[in-house]
Coordinates of all heavy atoms in Angstrom, one line a residue:
N96 N 5.5 15.1 -1.1 CA 4.6 16.1 -0.5 C 3.9 15.4 0.7 O 3.7 16.0 1.8 CB 3.6 16.7 -1.4 CG 4.2 17.6 -2.4 OD1 5.3 18.1 -2.2 ND2 3.5 17.9 -3.5
A97 N 3.5 14.2 0.5 CA 2.8 13.4 1.6 C 3.8 13.2 2.7 O 3.4 13.4 3.9 CB 2.3 12.1 1.0
H98 N 5.0 12.8 2.4 CA 6.0 12.6 3.5 C 6.3 13.9 4.2 O 6.5 13.9 5.4 CB 7.2 11.9 2.9 CG 7.0 10.4 2.6 ND1 7.0 9.5 3.6 CD2 6.8 9.8 1.5 CE1 6.8 8.3 3.0 NE2 6.7 8.5 1.7
G99 N 6.5 14.9 3.4 CA 6.9 16.2 4.0 C 5.8 16.8 4.9 O 6.0 17.3 5.9
D100 N 4.5 16.6 4.5 CA 3.4 17.0 5.3 C 3.4 16.3 6.6 O 3.2 16.9 7.7 CB 2.1 16.8 4.5 CG 0.9 17.4 5.2 OD1 0.9 18.6 5.5 OD2 -0.1 16.6 5.4
Y101 N 3.6 15.0 6.5 CA 3.6 14.2 7.7 C 4.7 14.6 8.7 O 4.5 14.7 9.9 CB 3.7 12.7 7.4 CG 3.8 11.8 8.5 CD1 2.6 11.4 9.3 CD2 5.0 11.2 8.9 CE1 2.7 10.6 10.4 CE2 5.1 10.4 10.0 CZ 3.9 10.1 10.7 OH 4.0 9.2 11.8
L102 N 5.9 14.8 8.1 CA 7.0 15.1 9.0 C 6.9 16.5 9.6 O 7.3 16.8 10.7 CB 8.3 15.0 8.2 CG 8.8 13.6 7.8 CD1 9.9 13.6 6.7 CD2 9.3 12.9 9.1
S103 N 6.3 17.4 8.8 CA 6.0 18.8 9.3 C 5.1 18.8 10.5 O 5.2 19.5 11.5 CB 5.5 19.7 8.2 OG 6.5 19.9 7.2
E104 N 4.0 17.9 10.4 CA 3.0 17.8 11.4 C 3.5 17.0 12.6 O 2.9 17.2 13.7 CB 1.7 17.2 10.9 CG 1.0 18.0 9.9 CD -0.2 17.3 9.3 OE1 -0.5 16.1 9.7 OE2 -0.9 17.9 8.5
H105 N 4.5 16.2 12.5 CA 5.0 15.4 13.6 C 6.5 15.7 13.7 O 7.4 14.9 13.2 CB 4.8 13.9 13.3 CG 3.4 13.5 13.1 ND1 2.7 13.6 11.9 CD2 2.5 13.1 14.0 CE1 1.5 13.2 12.1 NE2 1.3 13.0 13.4
P106 N 6.9 16.7 14.4 CA 8.3 17.1 14.5 C 9.2 16.2 15.3 O 10.4 16.2 15.3 CB 8.2 18.5 15.2 CG 6.9 18.6 15.8 CD 6.0 17.7 15.1
N107 N 8.5 15.3 16.1 CA 9.3 14.3 16.8 C 9.7 13.0 16.0 O 10.5 12.2 16.5 CB 8.6 13.9 18.1 CG 7.2 13.3 17.8 OD1 6.6 13.5 16.7 ND2 6.7 12.5 18.7
V108 N 9.2 12.9 14.8 CA 9.5 11.8 13.9 C 10.7 12.1 13.1 O 10.9 13.1 12.6 CB 8.3 11.5 13.0 CG1 8.6 10.4 12.0 CG2 7.0 11.1 13.8
R109 N 11.6 11.0 13.1 CA 12.8 11.2 12.3 C 12.8 10.2 11.1 O 12.2 9.2 11.2 CB 14.1 10.9 13.2 CG 14.3 11.9 14.3 CD 15.5 11.6 15.1 NE 16.7 11.3 14.3 CZ 17.5 12.3 13.8 NH1 17.2 13.5 13.9 NH2 18.6 11.9 13.1
V110 N 13.5 10.6 10.0 CA 13.6 9.8 8.9 C 15.0 9.7 8.4 O 15.8 10.7 8.5 CB 12.6 10.3 7.7 CG1 13.1 11.7 7.2 CG2 12.6 9.4 6.6
M111 N 15.4 8.5 8.0 CA 16.7 8.4 7.4 C 16.5 8.2 5.9 O 15.7 7.4 5.4 CB 17.4 7.1 7.9 CG 18.8 6.9 7.3 SD 19.8 5.7 8.0 CE 18.8 4.2 7.8
I112 N 17.3 9.0 5.1 CA 17.2 8.9 3.6 C 18.4 8.2 3.1 O 19.5 8.7 3.3 CB 17.1 10.3 3.1 CG1 15.9 11.1 3.7 CG2 16.9 10.3 1.5 CD1 15.9 12.6 3.4
E113 N 18.1 7.0 2.5 CA 19.2 6.2 1.9 C 19.3 6.5 0.4 O 18.4 6.5 -0.3 CB 18.9 4.7 2.1 CG 18.7 4.3 3.5 CD 18.4 2.8 3.6 OE1 17.9 2.2 2.5 OE2 18.4 2.2 4.7
G114 N 20.6 6.8 0.0 CA 20.8 7.0 -1.4 C 21.5 5.8 -2.0 O 22.4 5.2 -1.4
H115 N 21.0 5.4 -3.2 CA 21.5 4.2 -3.9 C 21.8 4.5 -5.3 O 21.2 5.4 -5.9 CB 20.5 3.0 -3.8 CG 20.1 2.6 -2.4 ND1 20.8 1.6 -1.8 CD2 19.2 3.0 -1.6 CE1 20.3 1.4 -0.6 NE2 19.3 2.3 -0.4
A116 N 22.6 3.6 -5.9 CA 23.0 3.7 -7.3 C 23.1 2.3 -7.9 O 23.2 1.4 -7.2 CB 24.3 4.5 -7.5
D117 N 23.0 2.3 -9.3 CA 23.2 1.0 -9.9 C 24.7 0.7 -9.9 O 25.5 1.5 -9.5 CB 22.5 0.9 -11.2 CG 23.1 1.9 -12.2 OD1 24.2 2.3 -12.1 OD2 22.3 2.3 -13.1
E118 N 25.1 -0.5 -10.4 CA 26.5 -0.9 -10.3 C 27.4 -0.3 -11.4 O 28.6 -0.6 -11.4 CB 26.5 -2.4 -10.3 CG 26.0 -3.1 -11.6 CD 26.0 -4.6 -11.6 OE1 25.3 -5.1 -10.7 OE2 26.6 -5.2 -12.4
R119 N 26.8 0.4 -12.4 CA 27.6 1.0 -13.4 C 28.4 2.2 -12.8 O 27.8 3.0 -12.1 CB 26.8 1.4 -14.6 CG 26.1 0.1 -15.2 CD 25.2 0.5 -16.4 NE 24.0 1.1 -15.8 CZ 22.9 1.4 -16.6 NH1 23.0 1.2 -17.9 NH2 21.9 1.9 -16.0
G120 N 29.6 2.3 -13.1 CA 30.4 3.4 -12.5 C 31.3 2.8 -11.4 O 31.1 1.7 -10.9
T121 N 32.3 3.6 -11.0 CA 33.2 3.2 -9.9 C 32.5 3.2 -8.6 O 31.5 4.0 -8.4 CB 34.4 4.1 -9.9 OG1 34.0 5.4 -9.5 CG2 35.2 4.1 -11.2
P122 N 32.9 2.4 -7.6 CA 32.3 2.5 -6.3 C 32.3 3.9 -5.7 O 31.3 4.3 -5.0 CB 33.1 1.5 -5.5 CG 33.7 0.6 -6.5 CD 33.9 1.4 -7.7
E123 N 33.4 4.6 -5.8 CA 33.5 5.9 -5.3 C 32.5 6.9 -5.9 O 31.8 7.7 -5.2 CB 34.9 6.5 -5.5 CG 36.0 5.8 -4.7 CD 36.5 4.5 -5.5 OE1 36.2 4.4 -6.7 OE2 37.2 3.7 -4.9
Y124 N 32.4 6.8 -7.2 CA 31.4 7.7 -7.9 C 30.0 7.3 -7.5 O 29.2 8.2 -7.3 CB 31.5 7.5 -9.4 CG 30.6 8.4 -10.2 CD1 30.9 9.7 -10.4 CD2 29.4 7.8 -10.7 CE1 30.0 10.5 -11.1 CE2 28.5 8.7 -11.4 CZ 28.8 10.0 -11.6 OH 27.9 10.8 -12.2
N125 N 29.7 6.0 -7.3 CA 28.3 5.6 -6.9 C 28.0 6.0 -5.5 O 26.8 6.4 -5.2 CB 28.2 4.1 -7.1 CG 28.1 3.8 -8.6 OD1 27.7 4.6 -9.4 ND2 28.4 2.5 -8.9
I126 N 29.0 6.0 -4.6 CA 28.7 6.5 -3.3 C 28.4 8.0 -3.3 O 27.4 8.4 -2.6 CB 30.0 6.3 -2.4 CG1 30.1 4.8 -2.1 CG2 29.9 7.1 -1.1 CD1 29.1 4.2 -1.1
A127 N 29.1 8.8 -4.1 CA 28.9 10.2 -4.2 C 27.5 10.4 -4.9 O 26.7 11.3 -4.5 CB 30.0 10.9 -5.0
L128 N 27.2 9.7 -5.9 CA 25.9 9.8 -6.6 C 24.7 9.5 -5.6 O 23.7 10.2 -5.6 CB 25.8 8.9 -7.8 CG 24.5 8.9 -8.6 CD1 24.3 10.4 -9.1 CD2 24.6 8.0 -9.8
G129 N 24.9 8.4 -4.8 CA 23.9 8.1 -3.8 C 23.7 9.2 -2.8 O 22.5 9.5 -2.4
E130 N 24.8 9.8 -2.4 CA 24.7 10.9 -1.5 C 24.0 12.1 -2.1 O 23.1 12.7 -1.4 CB 26.1 11.3 -1.0 CG 26.1 12.4 0.1 CD 27.4 12.7 0.6 OE1 28.4 12.1 0.2 OE2 27.5 13.6 1.4
R131 N 24.3 12.4 -3.3 CA 23.6 13.5 -4.0 C 22.1 13.2 -4.1 O 21.3 14.1 -4.0 CB 24.2 13.8 -5.4 CG 25.5 14.4 -5.4 CD 26.0 15.0 -6.7 NE 25.8 14.0 -7.9 CZ 26.8 13.2 -8.3 NH1 28.0 13.2 -7.7 NH2 26.6 12.4 -9.3
R132 N 21.7 12.0 -4.4 CA 20.3 11.6 -4.5 C 19.6 11.8 -3.1 O 18.5 12.3 -3.0 CB 20.1 10.2 -5.0 CG 20.5 10.1 -6.5 CD 20.5 8.7 -7.0 NE 20.7 8.7 -8.4 CZ 21.0 7.7 -9.2 NH1 21.2 6.5 -8.6 NH2 21.2 7.8 -10.5
A133 N 20.2 11.3 -2.1 CA 19.6 11.5 -0.7 C 19.5 12.9 -0.4 O 18.5 13.4 0.2 CB 20.5 10.7 0.3
K134 N 20.5 13.7 -0.7 CA 20.5 15.2 -0.4 C 19.4 15.9 -1.2 O 18.8 16.8 -0.7 CB 21.9 15.8 -0.6 CG 22.9 15.5 0.4 CD 24.2 16.2 0.2 CE 25.2 16.0 1.3 NZ 26.5 16.6 1.1
A135 N 19.2 15.4 -2.4 CA 18.1 16.0 -3.2 C 16.8 15.8 -2.6 O 15.9 16.7 -2.6 CB 18.1 15.5 -4.7
V136 N 16.5 14.6 -2.1 CA 15.3 14.3 -1.4 C 15.2 15.1 -0.1 O 14.1 15.7 0.2 CB 15.1 12.8 -1.1 CG1 13.9 12.5 -0.2 CG2 15.0 12.0 -2.4

Side-chain angles (χ1 to χ4, degrees):
N96 288 342
H98 286 283
D100 186 55
Y101 177 76
L102 289 166
S103 295
E104 290 177 3
H105 300 89
N107 58 338
V108 175
R109 295 184 46 84
V110 64
M111 181 171 58
I112 304 167
E113 299 176 345
H115 298 270
D117 61 29
E118 63 186 58
R119 297 176 287 186
T121 65
E123 296 82 13
Y124 181 80
N125 287 335
I126 289 287
L128 180 59
E130 184 176 356
R131 287 194 310 269
R132 288 174 174 163
K134 283 183 177 180
V136 171

